[in-house]
Amino acid sequence: MKKSNITLLAILGAVALVVLWGISKRNSLVGQEEMVENAWSDVENVYQRRMDLIPNLVNTVQGAANFEKNTLTGVVEARSRVVNISADELTEENVAKFQKSQDDLTAALNKSISLTVEAYPELTATKGFQDLQAQLEGCENRIATERRNFNEKVKSYNVSIRRFPANIIAGMMGLEKKGYFKASEGAEKPVEVKFE
Amino acid sequence: MKMRAILLALLLAIPLMSSAQWMPAKSNRMVNDYAHLLSSREAAELEQRLESFSDTTSQSQVVVITTNTLGGGDIMTVGQQIGQKWGIGGKSMNNGVLLLILASEEEGNDVAILTGYGSEAVLPDVVCKHIIDEELIPHFKEGSFYGGIDAALDVILPIMHGEFSSGDYMAKKAEEERVSNIIALLIFIVIIVVIVWASRKSKNGGSGSSGSSSSGGPIFWGGSPFMGGSSSGGFPSGGGFGGFGGGSFGGGGAHGKW
């Protein structure tokens, strides 16, 4: 009688501990996933910041005396092709798509700006253009920072959901590996916006 | 398999890449003249000015670092990482600013103003760029590092003074989260105590044989408050006397070569 009571209690205690462990693990995974999603929204914000500057760039360059339209068409086109993905579908494929479209925009920006500098040297001396330069550089720095931060969060999340025994909980929750930014050319460094 | 090997190689490469980049150990001073561009009296004067600024404001911290090398890193990246690792500025307001000066014959002369997340609003990149071009570089070209830093601080400190409305809100939110974590911890302790107490009681052959089965229920359901508990990452290690507050940096700011 007494002995069976103790056994029952021990089993209940063990079950309770396992359940508690499961709950706290679940919560920490939820927390980690949330951190990844927050980091993603920071990434989106800084990219959006750069997109918002493009009209300024267009206006500034259009102000030049002998402005030619095709100087900036590449940028405007690349901007319209930018892919948006929401924080709950951060698969490797989606992140890669997003990265590709934004990297294309970076390339288009750099190309257009060097074209502009060539075509309108007097423009680069104006205050408006120089301020734009500082802003664009700031955007690239922020993008590099938030991408790094996002990758760190994804890395620790991906490790967490695959490590035994937490992977059992992750499997029950249906959590999947998330994508991150691949180190492409000059990845960890902010892209240099060249004006000179 | 191949994928995994590539991944592993990348993971191994990351610490190597970041270790090449210059990263000074966290100091407890505002002015860190590693490149010896200032006299000891000048450094002490700036130190005094910046410490009293941090004390009289809500941990608005402006840190000056000079160096002869960045270890091949980019000045904005290195600066952002120093600001983040040192935790310049208050943790909830992120109102830190880092003035990073590179004076090097091989790597060139470069100066950057890095703004913490909370300082970006009052010190936009364009303003930083102007401070660099109009306050810092003219003095630096004449060889007066103290003059440049002093002139820049004359602009930066008044700008940073005041304007913390969004930071106040964030501080409040962080406080709320801390309280909910403490409550969750207390519940957990209570459950453990109950388990220990119940098992000890039955070992002693205490009264009430039904006690064991009834305690099973509350133990199980007692865990449910955990469901909603949010986990907030690591706690800050620094803070306290004369230290940095734990502010975060997002790459804001500007730099200029001279």
Side-chain angles (χ1 to χ4, degrees), chain A residues 27 131 142 146 148 180 190, chain B residues 7 80 117 125 130 226-227:
Chain A
N27 284 328
D131 284 354
R142 286 184 177 83
E146 299 305 347
R148 234 178 3 244
Y180 54 90
Chain B
L7 253 171
Q80 185 269 328
Y117 279 112
D125 300 350
H130 281 245
F226 274 81
M227 289 286 200

Side-chain angles (χ1 to χ4, degrees), chain A residues 8-25:
Chain A
L8 182 67
L9 206 60
I11 292 169
L12 278 173
V15 168
L17 281 178
V18 168
V19 168
L20 277 176
W21 170 82
I23 290 166
S24 76
K25 198 76 227 172

Side-chain angles (χ1 to χ4, degrees), chain B residues 13 24 102 110 125 134 148 152 219 238 246:
Chain B
L102 168 71
D110 208 348
D125 300 350
E134 285 149 32
I219 288 170

Side-chain angles (χ1 to χ4, degrees), chain A:
Chain A
M1 180 65 187
K2 236 195 218 167
K3 207 170 184 182
S4 71
N5 259 349
I6 292 170
T7 315
L8 182 67
L9 206 60
I11 292 169
L12 278 173
V15 168
L17 281 178
V18 168
V19 168
L20 277 176
W21 170 82
I23 290 166
S24 76
K25 198 76 227 172
R26 178 193 173 279
N27 284 328
S28 92
L29 289 177
V30 167
Q32 273 194 307
E33 186 172 40
E34 207 155 282
M35 272 157 71
V36 170
E37 285 171 7
N38 283 342
W40 178 254
S41 73
D42 289 339
V43 168
E44 279 185 319
N45 281 342
V46 291
Y47 273 116
Q48 185 59 46
R49 191 190 176 106
R50 182 173 72 171
M51 303 243 278
D52 292 344
L53 280 180
I54 290 171
N56 291 6
L57 175 70
V58 174
N59 288 339
T60 309
V61 178
Q62 270 175 348
N66 47 351
F67 171 71
E68 267 181 69
K69 253 196 183 143
N70 57 8
T71 325
L72 292 170
T73 43
V75 174
V76 176
E77 269 171 27
R79 184 182 191 267
S80 69
R81 278 199 304 270
V82 161
V83 178
N84 280 316
I85 52 177
S86 75
D88 51 6
E89 40 191 38
L90 295 173
T91 61
E92 288 180 67
E93 194 190 344
N94 280 344
V95 173
K97 254 190 235 163
F98 179 87
Q99 180 177 3
K100 171 87 173 60
S101 70
Q102 291 287 4
D103 286 354
D104 286 350
L105 179 56
T106 308
L109 264 173
N110 282 339
K111 198 179 157 213
S112 293
I113 284 166
S114 56
L115 275 178
T116 307
V117 172
E118 255 172 53
Y120 318 111
E122 73 287 352
L123 182 68
T124 52
T126 63
K127 185 178 169 296
F129 200 80
Q130 282 173 356
D131 284 354
L132 198 62
Q133 169 185 17
Q135 282 175 300
L136 276 171
E137 274 178 354
C139 280
E140 300 301 342
N141 293 325
R142 286 184 177 83
I143 287 168
T145 300
E146 299 305 347
R147 271 171 63 151
R148 234 178 3 244
N149 184 34
F150 175 76
N151 275 2
E152 272 169 28
K153 297 277 170 357
V154 169
K155 202 193 297 162
S156 74
Y157 168 86
N158 282 351
V159 168
S160 291
I161 64 164
R162 280 184 300 170
R163 187 176 278 162
F164 182 82
N167 60 353
I168 299 167
I169 307 287
M172 276 159 60
M173 291 166 71
L175 298 179
E176 276 168 19
K177 241 178 94 179
K178 294 196 190 294
Y180 54 90
F181 288 98
K182 301 286 185 311
S184 48
E185 337 82 68
E188 297 299 297
K189 247 175 139 182
V191 179
E192 192 104 18
V193 185
K194 288 187 191 70
F195 289 83
E196 282 91 20

